[in-house]
Amino acid sequence: MSLSILLVDDSKIIRKVIAKELPSIFKDRELKLTEAADGNEALEYLCSNSYDLVFLDLTMPEKNGYEVLEALNEKGIKANIIVLTADIQPEAEKIVKKLGAVGYIRKERPLNITPLIEILQETGML
Ligand SMILES: [Mg+2]
C-alpha cells in the first residue's frame, strides 16, 4: 500500500533534501509525496486530504508551524506530524508535542536521519 506524505517547509532546498531521503527510509513502499511551502498551503492540504505522515517546519511565512498545529486542533483534525526545525528555542519540543506532534527533530546539515527513523519506529510507521 502506498504511503502518503505531506512535506511542509518554506525552503525548497530542504524539501528536496528530505524528499531524497524518503525512499531509502521507507525502502520498497510506494510513496505519494505532496509538498507545501507555507502554513496556509499546508492547512489547505490537511483539511481536504488525509496523510499517513506529515513533516512540518516551524518557521514559515503565512502561518508558522505552531499556528498550523493550533489550527488543526481547533478543527479537530488529527495527523501524524513530525516537526522538523532549525528552531533552537528550548521549549519548542515541549510546545509542539503538547500541540499534538508525534515527533520533533532538529534540522541539521547534513540531515541526520537516525532520529527520524527512531520516531517512525516508535510510532509504528516503520
Ligand atoms: Mg522554514
Side-chain angles (χ1 to χ4, degrees), residues 3 15 33 37 61 65 71 81 90 107 114:
L3 198 68
R15 295 201 306 271
L33 193 64
I81 297 176
K107 225 165 7 190
T114 308

Side-chain angles (χ1 to χ4, degrees), residues 9-11 57 59-60 107:
D9 200 303
D10 58 325
S11 161
D57 183 22
T59 309
M60 293 183 294
K107 225 165 7 190

Side-chain angles (χ1 to χ4, degrees), residues 7 9 11-25 31 33 35 55 84 106-113 116:
L7 188 47
D9 200 303
S11 161
K12 197 177 176 181
I13 296 166
I14 299 283
R15 295 201 306 271
K16 215 170 163 181
V17 168
I18 300 166
K20 207 177 134 225
E21 295 292 343
L22 295 176
S24 67
I25 295 172
L31 301 178
L33 193 64
E35 296 185 18
F55 290 102
L84 195 57
R106 287 286 308 281
K107 225 165 7 190
E108 285 161 6
R109 275 182 205 202
L111 187 69
N112 180 5
I113 62 165
L116 171 58

Side-chain angles (χ1 to χ4, degrees), residues 44-91:
E44 274 173 35
Y45 281 125
L46 285 160
C47 289
S48 50
N49 304 279
S50 77
Y51 298 92
D52 298 305
L53 180 63
V54 180
F55 290 102
L56 181 65
D57 183 22
L58 286 183
T59 309
M60 293 183 294
E62 304 302 332
K63 276 190 177 60
N64 64 34
Y66 299 108
E67 291 169 317
V68 170
L69 289 168
E70 280 162 6
L72 291 175
N73 285 333
E74 274 165 27
K75 294 172 192 292
I77 295 172
K78 298 228 181 300
N80 258 332
I81 297 176
I82 295 178
V83 167
L84 195 57
T85 181
D87 198 335
I88 50 164
Q89 191 189 334
E91 295 287 288

